[in-house]
Amino acid sequence: MHYAPASILSALLLSGTFSSCLPSQPKARQIVEIPGVRIENVASRSNGDLLLSTMGGGKLYSVNPYENPPKPEVIAQIEGVNSLFGITEIGDDVFALAAGNDTGQQFQNNSMKLSLLKFNYGQLSVDTVFEESKCGPVNGIVALPYHKHIILGADSVRGEILRIDTTTGKITVAIQDKEFTPSVDGTYGLGVNGIKIYKNHLYFTNTDRQTFGRMKIDKLGNKVGDVEIIYRVEKGFPSIPDDFTIHQNGNVYVGFWQDKLIKITPDGKATVLSEGILAGPTSVTPGRDGKSVFVVTAGQNNDNVSGGQVVQIIHCVRHGQGVHNLSYANHDLPDPELTPLGEEQAKALTTRFPELANNVELIISSPLQRTIQTALLAFRLKLEAGMKVLAWSEVQEASDLICDTGSQLPDIQARFRGLPVDFSLIEPDWYLKQGKWAPTAACLLARAQRARQWLSERPEAEIVVISHGCFLHFLTDDWVNAINPQATDWANGEDQEYDEGVNNML
């Protein structure tokens, strides 16, 4: 997106995943800060590195967000332009990068340049497709899924979608529609901005019209349906949508100038995930785990962005397969153990999700046998290094079925005697399923709220909570596919991450 800068601070890259937690202001972990640089767009490579296009210098940065500490470096300087815009992958580790000149007040006509970035065994080559085109410049770009050498580009000033063949450099107008144009009374003179393709639809944001919508397209990017406006900013509110990413479940995460990250569901429900800490968010990209997002900002409009921010990440894990999962008849078994498959699922957890093995500082488990077993098997190296599993009544399973009811404290202590499990938080009546432990909606919602409150006050940067499929829906307030024969959409041994303090999961 293009704006007249109010002030140039530091570009800020944040990572986080989002769950239903307390409506308090979220903490944020600053991944990297690049002084004096405005990050405009971001793309993820298959190795997890992030490519950052920037405004004002024509420089492309790369950073490994999982490195400690991350070290951003300039990997390319695009000559003849001062600003880099959209970036999208068009092949295996091959990216198209749109560029042009920006005066600080507007895009400069006849300055569009398109480059191809090719990574090969650690070496980067940059090829020019065309330069000084009379079209564009384009803002967001996206590759056609069935013809990845062809990209669509958002001409924000003219309010139209261009089709660009990256092999020949041929440019044509693909789509024109009123909903792509700037509004007559718009503040910035910019229409269509970020664009993505998902399930045969072109999704887009419009800056001046403050809208997010979609249009059905064919395999060549031609319009085959009318525009559907999914979300429109309420009149009078200053939030301006920029670029975004679409999660595999259809939820969209949009950076809103000046300081918001907003989740928009397929039916148009919008939830503010972060407000006040993002210094001019410009683009969003998914993390390599598919359950987190990275937000890049221009480093503007926030005098408090000066580093030292930390995100508290909570990993929620459903236990491995238990004996009760094998049949309905087994639901009458008291506090069942893991099956052999469940044990293997638990042992494989940190292999499937290596960030758990490296970063977790606190391991919390429901006091039921299968969850404690999962914790002991999954985090063997952490436990051998001196960490303990903290058993906690608040995250026990929701129902009062025999298989979901725990044992008295002396019994579970005897069962795990000599193993690194701390039972100091277990309350004497936790297994009775009465009072605050009752399996009613009101009690379960209250218990989930207490759990989120307690977790939010912990000092650890990363926490893993091993619980149960049904209760995890209450804890995360994620009810997608919750109503089914298994009474949960969580698979055995599944991990999902959450940034405590913000509303609604990824």
Side-chain angles (χ1 to χ4, degrees), residues 1 3 205-207 210-212 231-234 237-244 252-264 270-272 274-276 278-284 295-297 301:
M1 177 175 285
Y3 298 108
T205 55
N206 186 307
T207 298
Q210 296 176 278
T211 55
F212 170 74
Y231 174 74
R232 188 186 305 272
V233 176
E234 188 175 342
F237 281 75
S239 296
I240 305 297
D242 205 320
D243 215 335
F244 59 94
V252 178
Y253 299 85
V254 188
F256 273 73
W257 195 271
Q258 298 179 352
D259 63 357
K260 294 181 179 65
L261 179 67
I262 294 180
K263 182 183 83 170
I264 302 175
T271 303
V272 177
S274 179
E275 181 176 10
L278 297 172
T282 54
S283 189
V284 187
V295 183
V296 295
T297 81
N301 305 309

Side-chain angles (χ1 to χ4, degrees), residues 322-324 330 333-338 369-370 373 402-404:
V323 175
H324 68 299
N330 287 357
L333 296 174
D335 197 4
E337 297 182 329
L338 294 178
Q369 186 168 217
R370 56 190 180 269
Q373 287 179 310
I402 295 175
C403 63
D404 292 336

Side-chain angles (χ1 to χ4, degrees), residues 426-446:
I426 303 301
E427 299 182 36
D429 64 345
W430 79 277
Y431 65 96
L432 295 178
K433 299 290 185 176
Q434 298 174 0
K436 67 179 182 179
W437 312 114
T440 65
C443 289
L444 290 167
L445 290 169

Side-chain angles (χ1 to χ4, degrees), residues 359-388:
N359 302 327
V360 165
E361 299 175 13
L362 178 65
I363 303 168
I364 293 173
S365 172
S366 156
L368 274 79
Q369 186 168 217
R370 56 190 180 269
T371 43
I372 295 177
Q373 287 179 310
T374 298
L376 292 172
L377 291 169
F379 296 96
R380 181 178 57 83
L381 294 180
K382 287 283 187 182
L383 301 176
E384 289 177 354
M387 193 176 291
K388 286 189 175 183

Side-chain angles (χ1 to χ4, degrees), residues 100-129:
N101 287 323
D102 176 74
T103 66
Q105 300 293 329
Q106 61 184 7
F107 292 133
Q108 181 180 321
N109 287 331
N110 305 321
S111 70
M112 182 166 71
K113 183 173 184 175
L114 186 71
S115 302
L116 295 185
L117 314 172
K118 300 177 181 178
F119 294 89
N120 187 23
Y121 298 104
Q123 300 298 313
L124 171 63
S125 63
V126 181
D127 299 324
T128 299
V129 179

